[in-house]
Amino acid sequence: MSGPARATQHASSKSAVLDVIRAAGTISRVGLINATGFTGATISTVVRKLIDEGLVVETGRAESTGGKRRVLLQLNHSSRYAVGVHLDHAGITYVLTNLGGSVVARISRAGAGAAEPRTVVARMAAEVKGLIDGVGVDHKRVLGLGLVSPGPLSSDTGMGLTPPSMRKWEDFPLDQELERATSLPVVLDNDATAAALGEHWSGGIGGTAISAALYMGTGIGAGLVINGITYRGSSGNAGEIGHICVDANGPECWCGARGCVEVLAGPAAVVAAARADAALAGSAGLTGRARSVSSDFAAVSRAARRGEPSALAILERSARYIAVAARTLANIMDLEVLVLTGPSFAIAGSVYLPVVRDELDRAFFSRAAHGVDVRLSRSAATASAIGGAALVLQSELVPLHEGLRLPENLADSEPAALPASGE
Ligand SMILES: [Zn+2]
């Protein structure tokens, strides 16, 4: 899936080369020349700098193809780390990832609840320190902290739009306060967008791929990554796939429209259908007072795994609607890769994956030209927090345009020498 890096505007030749090595896993210097279009001399200089800075290591040799066996390069995974934090009303998930985006430490703690933002930030700083110290990583190797929360976040207005449970956080300068408390650079984004970038970074997806993450927590959203850049729309609300209409005369959705995929097929709709079936409600333990949508959705999924046909039928009906929404997204974006991720796919992904795959194999508009690689995330439950860390890795190490922060030891790299023609 890794194409020529020249389609992406990296801020420097060094970041372009690092991104190709990340996507390839292992690659030779000749491979880098082919992938980037840079000259052999440029590749040689840039690779030497990356090795000197400890970001890249030489690792064995490729199989001989007759001539000299080529030395392979890969990321030096333990050279840098990033912290990802998923902040929610109900819980805070922290991950520490290495340079390749793999999780090396993970903790879950109590959510923001009703506490004052300042109190929560002080606690978060202590929990971040505990996370890093717990695995003995030198704080100097930690590049920054990516904070992810449901709904749009903006560095101008703090949390901006907030769910009702977190109204206290409106206008709270969360990034600045957290930066002060942790002494780490802080970047912010919403959960689906961060999850998409996390899959892009750690899933071996090439720098020029058009990929999306279909994210299902209690709602349904999507994050889009185009040529390595997250597409956010004019207000950070791109990818609201949950509010695609799949039945013009369907029930009213909380967003004000009718027949949205979320109101027909989201976790709340699955739980409501299961509760309406007295036998299933009894066997799945859904009777009595309402619990959270996520715990009830998990109960329906467990019933389906136990082989209860009515539970499986409800989930498969949901999956067919979601597959139509996924096909719509794939058609509009001409997607190459679609990753199912988020807590609800972590629980029920095995039901949804084949239905979505079948829909795209059968009906994706451009299927004669190329297929869509539909995957279930390997880390769907913590995808947002991992995505938070990927935000840091990308903004610090492979900034895609000028103006993003570069670490001091990379700031002197030469500007990207993009080929003048060929595109
Ligand atoms: Zn809606």
Side-chain angles (χ1 to χ4, degrees), residues 191-271:
D191 49 10
T193 300
L197 187 64
E199 297 294 343
H200 168 82
W201 187 277
S202 59
I205 298 175
T208 59
I210 310 295
S211 72
L214 186 51
Y215 187 93
M216 186 157 74
T218 52
I220 302 167
L224 308 170
V225 180
I226 299 163
N227 293 340
I229 298 169
T230 54
Y231 178 73
R232 315 181 74 258
S234 55
S235 65
N237 288 300
E240 282 294 347
I241 191 86
H243 301 280
I244 275 186
C245 180
V246 286
D247 179 357
N249 300 309
E252 200 167 312
C253 178
W254 64 265
C255 76
R258 279 192 175 278
C260 296
V261 68
E262 189 170 304
V263 71
L264 282 163
V270 166
V271 169

Side-chain angles (χ1 to χ4, degrees), residues 8-390:
T8 300
Q9 297 278 338
H10 287 86
S12 69
S13 51
K14 194 184 283 183
S15 64
V17 169
L18 195 65
D19 203 28
V20 171
I21 297 172
R22 169 200 66 75
T26 59
I27 191 168
S28 68
R29 286 173 176 79
V30 172
L32 286 173
I33 293 167
N34 294 337
T36 61
F38 297 150
T39 65
T42 300
I43 290 296
S44 176
T45 306
V46 168
V47 166
R48 175 48 51 199
K49 277 185 194 164
L50 290 170
I51 290 173
D52 287 348
E53 285 164 17
L55 291 168
V56 165
V57 287
E58 292 184 335
T59 168
R61 289 175 185 271
E63 288 298 308
S64 175
T65 51
K68 196 176 140 200
R69 293 204 303 156
R70 291 164 178 168
V71 176
L72 292 174
L73 303 159
Q74 70 173 33
L75 294 184
N76 182 7
H77 291 270
S78 57
S79 64
R80 304 288 192 280
Y81 296 85
V83 176
V85 181
H86 185 208
L87 170 66
D88 203 353
H89 174 67
I92 308 178
T93 305
Y94 301 84
V95 297
L96 182 69
T97 76
N98 64 20
L99 180 58
S102 298
V103 174
V104 295
R106 166 175 34 216
I107 56 172
S108 292
R109 294 290 182 265
E116 289 302 318
R118 241 165 256 285
T119 312
V120 177
V121 164
R123 169 162 71 85
M124 288 170 75
E127 289 166 352
V128 167
K129 185 174 184 307
L131 176 82
I132 299 168
D133 291 346
V135 284
V137 163
D138 181 352
H139 285 247
K140 287 201 285 288
R141 290 181 181 269
V142 180
L143 292 167
L145 185 156
L147 180 73
V148 174
S149 190
L153 290 166
S154 137
S155 49
D156 303 330
T157 59
M159 302 249 324
L161 297 172
T162 45
S165 54
M166 293 183 74
R167 278 285 138 74
K168 281 182 180 174
W169 295 74
E170 262 178 11
D171 302 324
F172 180 73
L174 181 57
D175 50 346
Q176 293 159 36
E177 294 295 328
L178 200 55
E179 209 160 304
R180 199 169 349 214
T182 60
S183 307
L184 289 169
V186 171
V187 287
L188 306 174
D189 218 322
N190 78 50
D191 49 10
T193 300
L197 187 64
E199 297 294 343
H200 168 82
W201 187 277
S202 59
I205 298 175
T208 59
I210 310 295
S211 72
L214 186 51
Y215 187 93
M216 186 157 74
T218 52
I220 302 167
L224 308 170
V225 180
I226 299 163
N227 293 340
I229 298 169
T230 54
Y231 178 73
R232 315 181 74 258
S234 55
S235 65
N237 288 300
E240 282 294 347
I241 191 86
H243 301 280
I244 275 186
C245 180
V246 286
D247 179 357
N249 300 309
E252 200 167 312
C253 178
W254 64 265
C255 76
R258 279 192 175 278
C260 296
V261 68
E262 189 170 304
V263 71
L264 282 163
V270 166
V271 169
R275 281 179 175 275
D277 177 336
L280 174 58
S283 66
L286 300 176
T287 50
R289 84 188 165 81
R291 300 173 303 169
S292 71
V293 167
S294 50
S295 63
D296 281 354
F297 180 80
V300 178
S301 303
R302 281 195 299 275
R305 275 203 298 276
R306 282 196 304 268
E308 291 196 35
S310 53
L312 188 60
I314 288 170
L315 286 175
E316 284 179 339
R317 177 180 178 275
S318 160
R320 283 194 298 276
Y321 278 117
I322 285 173
V324 169
R327 170 166 55 79
T328 306
L329 181 68
N331 284 352
I332 291 171
M333 301 304 299
D334 194 7
L335 286 181
E336 297 174 277
V337 182
L338 177 70
V339 186
L340 306 184
T341 192
S344 294
F345 285 129
I347 293 164
S350 61
V351 175
Y352 286 84
L353 180 66
V355 179
V356 175
R357 259 192 191 146
D358 180 61
E359 177 76 18
L360 288 168
D361 285 348
R362 215 168 29 76
F364 172 54
F365 183 79
S366 306
R367 62 191 178 279
H370 66 92
V372 182
D373 176 3
V374 183
R375 311 172 182 179
L376 185 61
S377 171
R378 282 173 295 182
S379 48
T382 47
S384 291
I386 294 169

